[in-house]
Amino acid sequence: MLLGQLLLLTHRARDLGDVPPHRPYARRSARLSGPTMLEALAGGVLTAAEAGATLARLLRELHALPARVSDDPGVRVLHLDLHPENVLLTQRGPVVIDWANAEEGHPDLDWGMSAVILAQVAVNREPHAQMAHEALAALLADCADPAARTDTNCGGLHQAVERRAANPTMSRREVELLDEAQTLIRELLTRTGR
């Protein structure tokens, strides 16, 4: 619930003019202490399955909040970069950080972005690949409507792959991994019968 409390504070701060209009989800940070989810995974404090389930829970909590600007009931606040490096594990629970990409939109895109980010690490066959694969499987197992989120033409997965491919901070190698990452996501959903 800490995520919801932080976002509600962000909305109130915006109403008071504390946040610049061009960054509607920006907020002055409180001092937070704790490892990132990735550090906890690497240190064996958290399992990959727990990480994936926590990311899914955070996405659900975030998407339970109404949009700040849009009147469309299907539009919500999106983080668009939710992965283990952007979650701090504090004494009070997980706290989502790095809201630079936040915007309003359909939650399928947010789920798709998190899945693609994890899948890119999983298919890259580097040190964290197995953990990312397990976290991705747990995230997708907790996905409320995987069919809508992975529709080939209009689902969040399709949009997430397009956004990641167009991201100027992505290396050529990261862009090359997108097809394999998308295939892995679809395979994991098929294995779970979803």
Side-chain angles (χ1 to χ4, degrees):
M1 190 47 94
L2 187 57
L3 171 66
Q5 292 168 349
L6 286 174
L7 282 170
L8 290 174
L9 287 173
T10 300
H11 283 240
R12 288 188 192 121
R14 174 74 176 100
D15 292 338
L16 296 173
D18 189 41
V19 178
H22 65 283
R23 306 256 338 252
Y25 301 107
R27 156 173 166 69
R28 293 193 179 146
S29 299
R31 191 84 161 148
L32 299 171
S33 176
T36 65
M37 183 182 280
L38 181 60
E39 291 168 337
L41 278 165
V45 175
L46 188 69
T47 69
E50 291 169 328
T54 299
L55 290 172
R57 180 177 57 80
L58 291 170
L59 283 168
R60 280 193 313 277
E61 288 179 9
L62 174 60
H63 300 149
L65 298 171
R68 169 74 176 88
V69 178
S70 177
D71 292 332
D72 183 336
V75 170
R76 297 289 190 239
V77 175
L78 309 180
H79 185 275
L80 299 177
D81 198 21
L82 187 61
H83 55 78
E85 286 183 285
N86 283 339
V87 178
L88 287 180
L89 302 178
T90 71
Q91 293 273 341
R92 295 184 60 198
V95 177
V96 175
I97 60 171
D98 188 2
W99 290 88
N101 296 330
E103 62 183 62
E104 293 183 358
H106 198 280
D108 291 350
L109 175 58
D110 221 2
W111 281 87
M113 291 295 281
S114 290
V116 169
I117 292 166
L118 288 172
Q120 282 178 285
V121 175
V123 299
N124 201 17
R125 293 165 190 79
E126 290 190 10
H128 298 300
Q130 185 59 38
M131 283 190 297
H133 188 281
E134 292 171 21
L136 173 63
L139 174 78
L140 294 174
D142 211 350
C143 179
D145 187 6
R149 294 185 164 116
T150 59
D151 181 74
T152 306
N153 297 316
C154 63
L157 178 58
H158 176 76
Q159 294 171 43
V161 168
E162 285 183 342
R163 282 189 178 218
R164 296 285 290 171
N167 184 334
T169 66
M170 299 270 290
S171 70
R172 184 168 64 224
R173 174 70 180 141
E174 288 171 318
V175 172
E176 290 169 355
L177 293 170
L178 286 170
D179 285 339
E180 193 176 349
Q182 190 170 186
T183 299
L184 174 60
I185 292 166
R186 293 184 191 287
E187 286 174 2
L188 287 172
L189 288 170
T190 301
R191 282 186 213 160
T192 60
R194 299 190 87 188

mmCIF file of all heavy atoms in Angstrom, residues 65-98:
data_model
loop_
_atom_site.group_PDB
_atom_site.id
_atom_site.type_symbol
_atom_site.label_atom_id
_atom_site.label_comp_id
_atom_site.label_asym_id
_atom_site.label_seq_id
_atom_site.Cartn_x
_atom_site.Cartn_y
_atom_site.Cartn_z
ATOM 1 N N LEU A 65 -5.138 2.954 -9.146
ATOM 2 C CA LEU A 65 -5.285 4.404 -8.978
ATOM 3 C C LEU A 65 -5.805 5.036 -10.262
ATOM 4 O O LEU A 65 -5.378 4.670 -11.355
ATOM 5 C CB LEU A 65 -3.941 5.041 -8.625
ATOM 6 C CG LEU A 65 -3.317 4.581 -7.311
ATOM 7 C CD1 LEU A 65 -1.906 5.110 -7.188
ATOM 8 C CD2 LEU A 65 -4.171 5.041 -6.156
ATOM 9 N N PRO A 66 -6.717 5.984 -10.163
ATOM 10 C CA PRO A 66 -7.230 6.639 -11.372
ATOM 11 C C PRO A 66 -6.170 7.545 -11.992
ATOM 12 O O PRO A 66 -5.238 7.992 -11.327
ATOM 13 C CB PRO A 66 -8.409 7.462 -10.848
ATOM 14 C CG PRO A 66 -8.084 7.717 -9.418
ATOM 15 C CD PRO A 66 -7.317 6.509 -8.940
ATOM 16 N N ALA A 67 -6.361 7.805 -13.257
ATOM 17 C CA ALA A 67 -5.472 8.733 -13.963
ATOM 18 C C ALA A 67 -5.615 10.125 -13.374
ATOM 19 O O ALA A 67 -6.649 10.489 -12.817
ATOM 20 C CB ALA A 67 -5.824 8.756 -15.448
ATOM 21 N N ARG A 68 -4.604 10.901 -13.513
ATOM 22 C CA ARG A 68 -4.593 12.267 -12.982
ATOM 23 C C ARG A 68 -5.277 13.245 -13.929
ATOM 24 O O ARG A 68 -5.965 14.142 -13.515
ATOM 25 C CB ARG A 68 -3.135 12.676 -12.722
ATOM 26 C CG ARG A 68 -2.910 14.140 -12.421
ATOM 27 C CD ARG A 68 -3.385 14.485 -11.023
ATOM 28 N NE ARG A 68 -3.082 15.847 -10.699
ATOM 29 C CZ ARG A 68 -3.879 16.871 -10.973
ATOM 30 N NH1 ARG A 68 -5.001 16.679 -11.588
ATOM 31 N NH2 ARG A 68 -3.544 18.089 -10.633
ATOM 32 N N VAL A 69 -5.089 13.035 -15.236
ATOM 33 C CA VAL A 69 -5.575 13.984 -16.221
ATOM 34 C C VAL A 69 -6.742 13.425 -17.037
ATOM 35 O O VAL A 69 -7.750 14.082 -17.203
ATOM 36 C CB VAL A 69 -4.430 14.424 -17.165
ATOM 37 C CG1 VAL A 69 -4.919 15.373 -18.234
ATOM 38 C CG2 VAL A 69 -3.297 15.061 -16.370
ATOM 39 N N SER A 70 -6.616 12.223 -17.524
ATOM 40 C CA SER A 70 -7.617 11.633 -18.408
ATOM 41 C C SER A 70 -8.921 11.305 -17.673
ATOM 42 O O SER A 70 -8.913 10.889 -16.517
ATOM 43 C CB SER A 70 -7.069 10.347 -19.028
ATOM 44 O OG SER A 70 -8.052 9.726 -19.825
ATOM 45 N N ASP A 71 -10.027 11.466 -18.388
ATOM 46 C CA ASP A 71 -11.343 11.091 -17.872
ATOM 47 C C ASP A 71 -11.717 9.666 -18.278
ATOM 48 O O ASP A 71 -12.733 9.147 -17.839
ATOM 49 C CB ASP A 71 -12.419 12.051 -18.392
ATOM 50 C CG ASP A 71 -12.265 13.447 -17.807
ATOM 51 O OD1 ASP A 71 -11.746 13.558 -16.682
ATOM 52 O OD2 ASP A 71 -12.649 14.416 -18.494
ATOM 53 N N ASP A 72 -10.919 9.048 -19.138
ATOM 54 C CA ASP A 72 -11.183 7.685 -19.605
ATOM 55 C C ASP A 72 -11.007 6.718 -18.434
ATOM 56 O O ASP A 72 -9.937 6.662 -17.834
ATOM 57 C CB ASP A 72 -10.216 7.343 -20.727
ATOM 58 C CG ASP A 72 -10.447 5.966 -21.325
ATOM 59 O OD1 ASP A 72 -11.016 5.085 -20.645
ATOM 60 O OD2 ASP A 72 -10.029 5.772 -22.483
ATOM 61 N N PRO A 73 -12.045 5.950 -18.081
ATOM 62 C CA PRO A 73 -11.938 5.047 -16.925
ATOM 63 C C PRO A 73 -10.934 3.918 -17.114
ATOM 64 O O PRO A 73 -10.490 3.317 -16.142
ATOM 65 C CB PRO A 73 -13.362 4.502 -16.754
ATOM 66 C CG PRO A 73 -14.012 4.703 -18.074
ATOM 67 C CD PRO A 73 -13.360 5.891 -18.707
ATOM 68 N N GLY A 74 -10.534 3.623 -18.345
ATOM 69 C CA GLY A 74 -9.547 2.573 -18.591
ATOM 70 C C GLY A 74 -8.111 3.055 -18.505
ATOM 71 O O GLY A 74 -7.175 2.262 -18.498
ATOM 72 N N VAL A 75 -7.937 4.355 -18.422
ATOM 73 C CA VAL A 75 -6.599 4.946 -18.373
ATOM 74 C C VAL A 75 -6.150 5.059 -16.918
ATOM 75 O O VAL A 75 -6.921 5.440 -16.050
ATOM 76 C CB VAL A 75 -6.591 6.328 -19.074
ATOM 77 C CG1 VAL A 75 -5.295 7.066 -18.838
ATOM 78 C CG2 VAL A 75 -6.849 6.152 -20.558
ATOM 79 N N ARG A 76 -4.903 4.722 -16.701
ATOM 80 C CA ARG A 76 -4.326 4.734 -15.362
ATOM 81 C C ARG A 76 -2.933 5.365 -15.404
ATOM 82 O O ARG A 76 -2.389 5.658 -16.461
ATOM 83 C CB ARG A 76 -4.189 3.304 -14.815
ATOM 84 C CG ARG A 76 -5.517 2.592 -14.633
ATOM 85 C CD ARG A 76 -6.242 3.216 -13.463
ATOM 86 N NE ARG A 76 -7.411 2.453 -13.069
ATOM 87 C CZ ARG A 76 -8.632 2.948 -13.055
ATOM 88 N NH1 ARG A 76 -8.858 4.167 -13.437
ATOM 89 N NH2 ARG A 76 -9.641 2.211 -12.645
ATOM 90 N N VAL A 77 -2.348 5.531 -14.243
ATOM 91 C CA VAL A 77 -0.967 5.977 -14.133
ATOM 92 C C VAL A 77 -0.088 4.774 -14.488
ATOM 93 O O VAL A 77 -0.293 3.673 -13.978
ATOM 94 C CB VAL A 77 -0.644 6.454 -12.696
ATOM 95 C CG1 VAL A 77 0.836 6.801 -12.570
ATOM 96 C CG2 VAL A 77 -1.522 7.627 -12.316
ATOM 97 N N LEU A 78 0.880 4.982 -15.371
ATOM 98 C CA LEU A 78 1.811 3.929 -15.777
ATOM 99 C C LEU A 78 3.224 4.312 -15.369
ATOM 100 O O LEU A 78 3.618 5.470 -15.498
ATOM 101 C CB LEU A 78 1.767 3.724 -17.294
ATOM 102 C CG LEU A 78 0.404 3.526 -17.946
ATOM 103 C CD1 LEU A 78 0.564 3.343 -19.451
ATOM 104 C CD2 LEU A 78 -0.338 2.355 -17.330
ATOM 105 N N HIS A 79 3.998 3.357 -14.923
ATOM 106 C CA HIS A 79 5.398 3.600 -14.572
ATOM 107 C C HIS A 79 6.271 3.483 -15.812
ATOM 108 O O HIS A 79 7.153 4.288 -16.047
ATOM 109 C CB HIS A 79 5.855 2.612 -13.492
ATOM 110 C CG HIS A 79 7.226 2.879 -12.993
ATOM 111 N ND1 HIS A 79 8.359 2.404 -13.629
ATOM 112 C CD2 HIS A 79 7.651 3.596 -11.928
ATOM 113 C CE1 HIS A 79 9.431 2.798 -12.957
ATOM 114 N NE2 HIS A 79 9.030 3.535 -11.930
ATOM 115 N N LEU A 80 6.081 2.440 -16.586
ATOM 116 C CA LEU A 80 6.748 2.151 -17.853
ATOM 117 C C LEU A 80 8.229 1.787 -17.733
ATOM 118 O O LEU A 80 8.926 1.730 -18.747
ATOM 119 C CB LEU A 80 6.549 3.295 -18.857
ATOM 120 C CG LEU A 80 5.097 3.574 -19.233
ATOM 121 C CD1 LEU A 80 4.999 4.761 -20.181
ATOM 122 C CD2 LEU A 80 4.441 2.336 -19.826
ATOM 123 N N ASP A 81 8.701 1.532 -16.531
ATOM 124 C CA ASP A 81 10.089 1.085 -16.345
ATOM 125 C C ASP A 81 10.202 0.299 -15.037
ATOM 126 O O ASP A 81 11.201 0.388 -14.335
ATOM 127 C CB ASP A 81 11.029 2.295 -16.330
ATOM 128 C CG ASP A 81 12.485 1.910 -16.582
ATOM 129 O OD1 ASP A 81 12.739 0.827 -17.147
ATOM 130 O OD2 ASP A 81 13.375 2.694 -16.197
ATOM 131 N N LEU A 82 9.157 -0.468 -14.733
ATOM 132 C CA LEU A 82 9.133 -1.208 -13.470
ATOM 133 C C LEU A 82 9.873 -2.536 -13.636
ATOM 134 O O LEU A 82 9.427 -3.425 -14.367
ATOM 135 C CB LEU A 82 7.695 -1.451 -13.009
ATOM 136 C CG LEU A 82 7.565 -2.075 -11.624
ATOM 137 C CD1 LEU A 82 8.162 -1.179 -10.548
ATOM 138 C CD2 LEU A 82 6.108 -2.364 -11.304
ATOM 139 N N HIS A 83 11.009 -2.626 -12.982
ATOM 140 C CA HIS A 83 11.848 -3.824 -12.994
ATOM 141 C C HIS A 83 12.648 -3.824 -11.693
ATOM 142 O O HIS A 83 12.585 -2.859 -10.918
ATOM 143 C CB HIS A 83 12.747 -3.852 -14.234
ATOM 144 C CG HIS A 83 13.604 -2.633 -14.399
ATOM 145 N ND1 HIS A 83 14.754 -2.433 -13.677
ATOM 146 C CD2 HIS A 83 13.455 -1.550 -15.191
ATOM 147 C CE1 HIS A 83 15.294 -1.287 -14.033
ATOM 148 N NE2 HIS A 83 14.521 -0.721 -14.944
ATOM 149 N N PRO A 84 13.387 -4.900 -11.406
ATOM 150 C CA PRO A 84 14.045 -5.024 -10.096
ATOM 151 C C PRO A 84 15.020 -3.912 -9.701
ATOM 152 O O PRO A 84 15.246 -3.699 -8.515
ATOM 153 C CB PRO A 84 14.757 -6.377 -10.198
ATOM 154 C CG PRO A 84 13.866 -7.172 -11.096
ATOM 155 C CD PRO A 84 13.418 -6.176 -12.134
ATOM 156 N N GLU A 85 15.570 -3.189 -10.640
ATOM 157 C CA GLU A 85 16.460 -2.084 -10.266
ATOM 158 C C GLU A 85 15.686 -0.835 -9.850
ATOM 159 O O GLU A 85 16.270 0.081 -9.274
ATOM 160 C CB GLU A 85 17.406 -1.740 -11.422
ATOM 161 C CG GLU A 85 18.504 -2.763 -11.616
ATOM 162 C CD GLU A 85 19.447 -2.356 -12.707
ATOM 163 O OE1 GLU A 85 19.065 -2.467 -13.886
ATOM 164 O OE2 GLU A 85 20.574 -1.932 -12.385
ATOM 165 N N ASN A 86 14.391 -0.801 -10.144
ATOM 166 C CA ASN A 86 13.576 0.365 -9.818
ATOM 167 C C ASN A 86 12.618 0.109 -8.665
ATOM 168 O O ASN A 86 11.592 0.786 -8.538
ATOM 169 C CB ASN A 86 12.815 0.859 -11.052
ATOM 170 C CG ASN A 86 13.713 1.629 -11.990
ATOM 171 O OD1 ASN A 86 14.756 2.120 -11.585
ATOM 172 N ND2 ASN A 86 13.321 1.728 -13.240
ATOM 173 N N VAL A 87 12.946 -0.852 -7.831
ATOM 174 C CA VAL A 87 12.173 -1.112 -6.621
ATOM 175 C C VAL A 87 13.155 -1.184 -5.452
ATOM 176 O O VAL A 87 14.095 -1.998 -5.471
ATOM 177 C CB VAL A 87 11.382 -2.439 -6.712
ATOM 178 C CG1 VAL A 87 10.623 -2.699 -5.418
ATOM 179 C CG2 VAL A 87 10.420 -2.402 -7.897
ATOM 180 N N LEU A 88 12.964 -0.318 -4.467
ATOM 181 C CA LEU A 88 13.761 -0.367 -3.247
ATOM 182 C C LEU A 88 12.998 -1.178 -2.212
ATOM 183 O O LEU A 88 11.787 -0.991 -2.037
ATOM 184 C CB LEU A 88 14.011 1.031 -2.687
ATOM 185 C CG LEU A 88 15.002 1.920 -3.414
ATOM 186 C CD1 LEU A 88 15.116 3.271 -2.703
ATOM 187 C CD2 LEU A 88 16.359 1.276 -3.519
ATOM 188 N N LEU A 89 13.691 -2.055 -1.516
ATOM 189 C CA LEU A 89 13.081 -2.854 -0.459
ATOM 190 C C LEU A 89 13.406 -2.188 0.869
ATOM 191 O O LEU A 89 14.477 -2.379 1.432
ATOM 192 C CB LEU A 89 13.597 -4.294 -0.518
ATOM 193 C CG LEU A 89 13.346 -4.998 -1.852
ATOM 194 C CD1 LEU A 89 13.933 -6.398 -1.843
ATOM 195 C CD2 LEU A 89 11.872 -5.024 -2.190
ATOM 196 N N THR A 90 12.484 -1.365 1.328
ATOM 197 C CA THR A 90 12.690 -0.598 2.555
ATOM 198 C C THR A 90 12.103 -1.347 3.750
ATOM 199 O O THR A 90 11.417 -2.359 3.585
ATOM 200 C CB THR A 90 12.012 0.786 2.460
ATOM 201 O OG1 THR A 90 10.596 0.615 2.519
ATOM 202 C CG2 THR A 90 12.399 1.518 1.180
ATOM 203 N N GLN A 91 12.324 -0.828 4.921
ATOM 204 C CA GLN A 91 11.753 -1.405 6.145
ATOM 205 C C GLN A 91 10.229 -1.451 6.076
ATOM 206 O O GLN A 91 9.608 -2.342 6.628
ATOM 207 C CB GLN A 91 12.167 -0.572 7.372
ATOM 208 C CG GLN A 91 13.647 -0.623 7.675
ATOM 209 C CD GLN A 91 13.991 -1.808 8.553
ATOM 210 O OE1 GLN A 91 13.138 -2.379 9.205
ATOM 211 N NE2 GLN A 91 15.257 -2.184 8.553
ATOM 212 N N ARG A 92 9.627 -0.489 5.393
ATOM 213 C CA ARG A 92 8.160 -0.404 5.305
ATOM 214 C C ARG A 92 7.593 -1.176 4.126
ATOM 215 O O ARG A 92 6.391 -1.214 3.933
ATOM 216 C CB ARG A 92 7.743 1.057 5.211
ATOM 217 C CG ARG A 92 8.092 1.821 6.494
ATOM 218 C CD ARG A 92 7.614 3.237 6.461
ATOM 219 N NE ARG A 92 6.164 3.265 6.306
ATOM 220 C CZ ARG A 92 5.493 4.321 5.901
ATOM 221 N NH1 ARG A 92 6.121 5.442 5.612
ATOM 222 N NH2 ARG A 92 4.176 4.291 5.794
ATOM 223 N N GLY A 93 8.461 -1.774 3.319
ATOM 224 C CA GLY A 93 8.006 -2.532 2.158
ATOM 225 C C GLY A 93 8.621 -1.994 0.882
ATOM 226 O O GLY A 93 9.390 -1.034 0.899
ATOM 227 N N PRO A 94 8.268 -2.600 -0.254
ATOM 228 C CA PRO A 94 8.840 -2.161 -1.529
ATOM 229 C C PRO A 94 8.341 -0.775 -1.929
ATOM 230 O O PRO A 94 7.169 -0.456 -1.748
ATOM 231 C CB PRO A 94 8.369 -3.226 -2.517
ATOM 232 C CG PRO A 94 7.223 -3.904 -1.876
ATOM 233 C CD PRO A 94 7.367 -3.733 -0.402
ATOM 234 N N VAL A 95 9.260 0.022 -2.455
ATOM 235 C CA VAL A 95 8.937 1.368 -2.925
ATOM 236 C C VAL A 95 9.456 1.500 -4.353
ATOM 237 O O VAL A 95 10.622 1.228 -4.635
ATOM 238 C CB VAL A 95 9.580 2.456 -2.024
ATOM 239 C CG1 VAL A 95 9.291 3.846 -2.575
ATOM 240 C CG2 VAL A 95 9.084 2.326 -0.596
ATOM 241 N N VAL A 96 8.576 1.919 -5.247
ATOM 242 C CA VAL A 96 8.932 2.102 -6.647
ATOM 243 C C VAL A 96 9.644 3.442 -6.811
ATOM 244 O O VAL A 96 9.182 4.464 -6.306
ATOM 245 C CB VAL A 96 7.665 2.047 -7.530
ATOM 246 C CG1 VAL A 96 8.005 2.347 -8.977
ATOM 247 C CG2 VAL A 96 6.990 0.688 -7.405
ATOM 248 N N ILE A 97 10.780 3.408 -7.518
ATOM 249 C CA ILE A 97 11.562 4.620 -7.775
ATOM 250 C C ILE A 97 11.671 4.840 -9.287
ATOM 251 O O ILE A 97 11.226 4.008 -10.068
ATOM 252 C CB ILE A 97 12.960 4.546 -7.123
ATOM 253 C CG1 ILE A 97 13.762 3.361 -7.669
ATOM 254 C CG2 ILE A 97 12.836 4.464 -5.602
ATOM 255 C CD1 ILE A 97 15.219 3.334 -7.235
ATOM 256 N N ASP A 98 12.296 5.914 -9.678
ATOM 257 C CA ASP A 98 12.561 6.281 -11.066
ATOM 258 C C ASP A 98 11.279 6.418 -11.869
ATOM 259 O O ASP A 98 10.934 5.573 -12.691
ATOM 260 C CB ASP A 98 13.516 5.288 -11.730
ATOM 261 C CG ASP A 98 13.958 5.770 -13.113
ATOM 262 O OD1 ASP A 98 13.562 6.882 -13.534
ATOM 263 O OD2 ASP A 98 14.684 5.021 -13.799
#
